[in-house]
Amino acid sequence: MLKKIMFLCTFLLMLSGVSLSEAASNKVTDITWGVNKDNVLRIVIECTGRTEAKAVIKDDALLVTVDGSLKSNVPKSFKVRSDTVGLVSVQNNDNKVAVKLPLLRKLKQGEYKLFALKKDPVTKRPDRIVIDIANAQGVLNTNKTVATTPQVTKKSDFKISGGIKGKKITIDPGHGGSDPGAIGKNGTTEKESNLKIAMKLRDYLSEKGAIVSMTRTSDVDVYGVSATDAQELQARVDVAENNAADLFVSLHCNASTNRDVSGMTTYYYPKTNYDKVIAKAVQDRLIKNFGLDDLGIRQASFYVNKRSSMPSVLVEMAFLSNVKEEKLLRSNWFQTKMANTIAEGIEDYFANA
C-alpha cells in the first residue's frame, strides 16, 4: 500500500540546463555509502552526467529513481551498517535506475533528503546523486552545506631543520565517511586502508617526538554533512593550518582500470623549496623497504598539496585495483611496515633538509 507522502524531493535539473537526451543517456557507474560523525547515512550514486532523480517512501521502503541506465559492474545489492537501512537493492528498468532502501524504522518528515553534486574538475569526482538519511539520534542538516565553516587561525610558519623532535605534523587519511575512495576487487575500501595506516603512522611519529594532528581518526567526512568536494578538502588543509603544522602528509591508495598496474608514487606541488625534498625522502624509503614498482615522485596540482602553506606530500601507497597489492593493503604487517617506512622518510627529511 502506498503510504501518504512523508517527504518528497524531486530534482528539476532541466532548469539548470539538463536536456532530456542528457538524462536518458546517463549511466550510473557506482553506488557507495558511509555514515558520518552526525550519524547520517549517505548513499552516493555516481553518474556520467547530470540527470533527474526523485525519492518517495513506498511499501516501507525509501525508493530512489534516477534517469538513465545501470553500468553492468554496479552491484545489484549490498548491505550497509545503519539502524535505518540495512540493505540496498538496485534495478534497471525502462531507462531508470531504481535504488530501493527497505526501512528498519519509520522515517519522519525531514529525516532524509535528496540532492545533486556537480562534477568537480579539481578532485575529478563525477556528477552524483546523494541521499542523506538521519539514523536514530542522527542530525540531518536542512541546508545543502554545513552551517559553519572551519576557521583558519593563521598560515603556517613552518620549520624544517633540527630533527623530527618537536615538529608539528598533520596526517590526512584520504577519503572517509560518504567517500570510500577506490574499492578493490575483494571489497577493500581506500578510506579504511588509509585510516589504518595513518593511525599507525601517528604512533610512530609520536614515538619519535613529533607533535601529530589528524584530519580524521574515524570513518567520517571531515567538513560535515553535504559538503562540496572543495569544502571537504579545504577542511583537511585547515586542520594543518590551525595546528601550525611544519608538514602535511596525505595518505592514499591508487587505482587503475588496468589491474596489472602496480607500484608506489609520492606526489608534491612545488609551492615551497621543500615539497620536492620531502617527496623524495619518503619515496626513497618506500622503494628501499618494499619490492614494489617505483613510479617515482611526481608533480601534481592536488588540492591539499597546492592549498597547504607548509611542505606537503600525497603518498599513493599501492594499487587497490591490483589484486596482489589489495591483499597487501589488507594485511596488518604491510600496514605496519608502510607506516614505519613513511615515518623513516619523514625523519630523514627533518634530519637533512
Side-chain angles (χ1 to χ4, degrees):
M1 183 179 72
L2 179 63
K3 289 187 175 183
K4 290 184 178 180
I5 296 178
M6 301 171 70
F7 180 85
L8 178 62
C9 185
T10 304
F11 283 100
L12 300 176
L13 296 182
M14 289 182 67
L15 296 176
S16 61
V18 179
S19 68
L20 291 175
S21 60
E22 285 178 313
S25 63
N26 172 63
K27 281 190 176 295
V28 171
T29 58
D30 200 6
I31 303 176
T32 58
W33 69 277
V35 177
N36 68 15
K37 62 185 178 182
D38 294 314
N39 200 21
V40 173
L41 170 66
R42 171 171 286 190
I43 307 291
V44 180
I45 303 172
E46 295 190 355
C47 306
T48 56
R50 292 178 295 169
T51 189
E52 297 180 23
K54 66 179 180 179
V56 64
I57 293 177
K58 182 178 180 180
D59 298 332
D60 295 322
L62 180 61
L63 183 63
V64 180
T65 55
V66 180
D67 284 0
S69 58
L70 189 68
K71 197 172 179 181
S72 60
N73 65 330
V74 178
K76 302 303 186 294
S77 67
F78 54 90
K79 295 180 180 180
V80 301
R81 293 190 295 272
S82 161
D83 56 20
T84 305
V85 175
L87 181 70
V88 177
S89 60
V90 186
Q91 292 184 334
N92 196 178
N93 296 306
D94 300 325
N95 290 320
K96 289 187 182 295
V97 176
V99 181
K100 186 177 182 180
L101 311 172
L103 298 173
L104 302 176
R105 67 179 185 88
K106 289 186 177 181
L107 282 180
K108 298 178 182 178
Q109 186 172 354
E111 286 190 324
Y112 73 94
K113 65 176 179 177
L114 184 70
F115 59 93
L117 291 176
K118 294 181 181 179
K119 180 179 180 180
D120 191 314
V122 176
T123 61
K124 298 182 180 179
R125 297 192 70 186
D127 289 282
R128 283 148 287 160
I129 299 297
V130 179
I131 310 98
D132 278 347
I133 305 170
N135 289 315
Q137 309 303 318
V139 179
L140 187 65
N141 255 281
T142 56
N143 298 320
K144 185 174 179 181
T145 58
V146 178
T148 59
T149 303
Q151 297 297 311
V152 180
T153 55
K154 65 175 183 178
K155 289 292 183 181
S156 174
D157 183 17
F158 60 86
K159 300 177 180 64
I160 53 95
S161 60
I164 195 171
K165 188 174 182 180
K167 294 299 189 298
K168 297 177 181 179
I169 302 171
T170 296
I171 304 172
D172 173 39
H175 306 281
S178 62
D179 177 14
I183 302 176
K185 185 177 181 181
N186 294 309
T188 309
T189 61
E190 181 182 358
K191 66 177 181 179
E192 181 180 10
S193 297
N194 294 342
L195 181 59
K196 287 181 177 179
I197 295 170
M199 298 297 282
K200 292 176 183 289
L201 175 58
R202 178 195 63 179
D203 294 342
Y204 280 124
L205 291 175
S206 297
E207 289 172 6
K208 294 175 183 292
I211 302 168
V212 183
S213 56
M214 303 281 292
T215 61
R216 65 182 182 96
T217 56
S218 59
D219 184 17
V220 296
D221 297 287
V222 176
Y223 185 94
V225 182
S226 307
T228 65
D229 291 336
Q231 287 172 325
E232 173 67 15
L233 294 172
Q234 185 61 47
R236 295 168 187 261
V237 173
D238 289 348
V239 173
E241 302 292 356
N242 281 321
N243 283 280
D246 299 307
L247 178 66
F248 182 92
V249 180
S250 188
L251 302 183
H252 288 258
C253 302
N254 220 330
S256 173
T257 54
N258 182 351
R259 293 191 180 275
D260 292 329
V261 175
S262 64
M264 303 170 166
T265 190
T266 305
Y267 288 90
Y268 70 97
Y269 182 81
K271 62 187 180 298
T272 76
N273 292 330
Y274 301 97
D275 294 272
K276 187 175 182 179
V277 177
I278 177 60
K280 187 176 187 305
V282 170
Q283 185 70 10
D284 285 350
R285 278 287 182 173
L286 289 174
I287 300 311
K288 181 179 179 181
N289 286 277
F290 293 95
L292 302 182
D293 292 339
D294 180 7
L295 302 182
I297 62 172
R298 300 183 182 184
Q299 180 179 325
S301 297
F302 289 130
Y303 190 104
V304 293
N305 291 146
K306 189 174 182 179
R307 300 300 179 91
S308 53
S309 63
M310 70 292 299
S312 63
V313 288
L314 188 149
V315 185
E316 294 281 9
M317 300 177 288
F319 277 77
L320 267 176
S321 52
N322 181 288
V323 176
K324 291 182 180 179
E325 292 192 359
E326 179 188 6
K327 185 176 181 180
L328 289 175
L329 286 161
R330 292 172 70 98
S331 66
N332 183 64
W333 75 264
F334 183 86
Q335 294 167 3
T336 300
K337 186 174 181 179
M338 175 62 68
N340 187 44
T341 299
I342 294 173
E344 289 174 344
I346 293 171
E347 189 172 29
D348 291 344
Y349 163 73
F350 282 117
N352 302 314

